[in-house]
């Protein structure tokens, strides 16, 4: 029963998206971007949305408002996710680092640095796109 409902919703979503895109004279490549972006956003797959919009933006000189919005959405959510990870790991390190052996503290500290570098890399990536 639930599967039938999901199939019906997804087919309605696809047909509505296609119809909306056809009315706006959107090319097939843009149509695919909008379809997948919408799907990734609704399923909260921001890593996939980030990769998709980044690659699309690098391949195209100009972006429509909708494409820029998806790029912004992907960037914002991927950074928020990484930032929460960073704050959580750093907080755990600050609370319990004195009780841990030195080698474990170093691993923990290195992991904090790794997350920080990932954030910096993503930010630099988007600055270069813009």
């Amino acid at each position: 029963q639930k599967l039938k409902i999901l199939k019906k919703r997804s087919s309605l979503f696809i047909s509505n998206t296609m119809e909306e895109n056809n009315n706006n004279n959107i090319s097939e490549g843009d149509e695919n971007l909008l379809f997948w972006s919408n799907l990734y956003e609704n399923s909260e797959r921001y890593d996939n949305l980030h990769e998709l919009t980044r690659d699309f933006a690098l391949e195209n000189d100009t972006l429509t408002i909708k494409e820029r919005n998806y790029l912004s959405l992907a960037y914002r959510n991927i950074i928020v996710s990484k930032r929460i990870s960073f704050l959580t790991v750093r907080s755990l390190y600050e609370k319990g680092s004195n009780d841990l052996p030195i080698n474990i503290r170093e691993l923990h500290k290195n992991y904090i640095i790794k997350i920080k570098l990932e954030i910096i890399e993503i930010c630099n990536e988007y600055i270069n796109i813009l």
Side-chain angles (χ1 to χ4, degrees):
Q1 183 73 17
K2 287 183 180 180
L3 185 58
K4 286 180 184 179
I5 292 170
L6 286 174
K7 284 182 180 180
K8 186 174 182 179
R9 283 184 183 169
S10 65
S11 66
L12 284 173
F13 169 76
I14 291 169
S15 65
N16 287 342
T17 303
M18 301 290 222
E19 186 177 310
E20 178 183 315
N21 292 343
N22 288 336
N23 292 339
N24 294 330
N25 297 325
I26 295 174
S27 71
E28 187 176 330
D30 295 342
E31 190 176 286
N32 287 335
L33 172 76
L34 296 176
F35 168 76
W36 286 108
S37 295
N38 224 337
L39 186 64
Y40 290 149
E41 178 189 9
N42 289 328
S43 60
E44 297 183 11
R45 302 278 305 181
Y46 298 113
D47 287 338
N48 297 90
L49 183 60
H50 162 74
E51 291 173 16
L52 176 73
T53 55
R54 176 198 60 210
D55 294 344
F56 187 83
L58 290 172
E59 292 172 4
N60 296 283
D61 293 335
T62 58
L63 300 175
T64 66
I65 292 171
K66 205 169 205 176
E67 292 162 352
R68 284 192 310 247
N69 286 343
Y70 279 121
L71 183 69
S72 175
L73 177 75
Y75 166 74
R76 181 179 64 241
N77 283 298
I78 200 88
I79 290 297
V80 165
S81 171
K82 298 282 183 188
R83 186 173 177 270
I84 290 170
S85 297
F86 171 76
L87 294 173
T88 302
V89 172
R90 188 183 68 181
S91 174
L92 291 171
Y93 176 76
E94 290 170 352
K95 285 181 183 176
S97 66
N98 295 334
D99 302 336
L100 298 172
I102 293 174
N103 62 337
I104 300 297
R105 278 189 286 185
E106 282 300 312
L107 288 173
H108 205 151
K109 191 174 180 181
N110 289 338
Y111 192 60
I112 292 170
I113 292 169
K114 179 184 178 202
I115 296 170
K116 196 183 241 185
L117 291 174
E118 287 174 359
I119 293 170
I120 292 168
E121 181 183 335
I122 292 168
C123 288
N124 286 333
E125 186 177 80
Y126 275 91
I127 288 169
N128 290 331
I129 288 172
L130 300 175

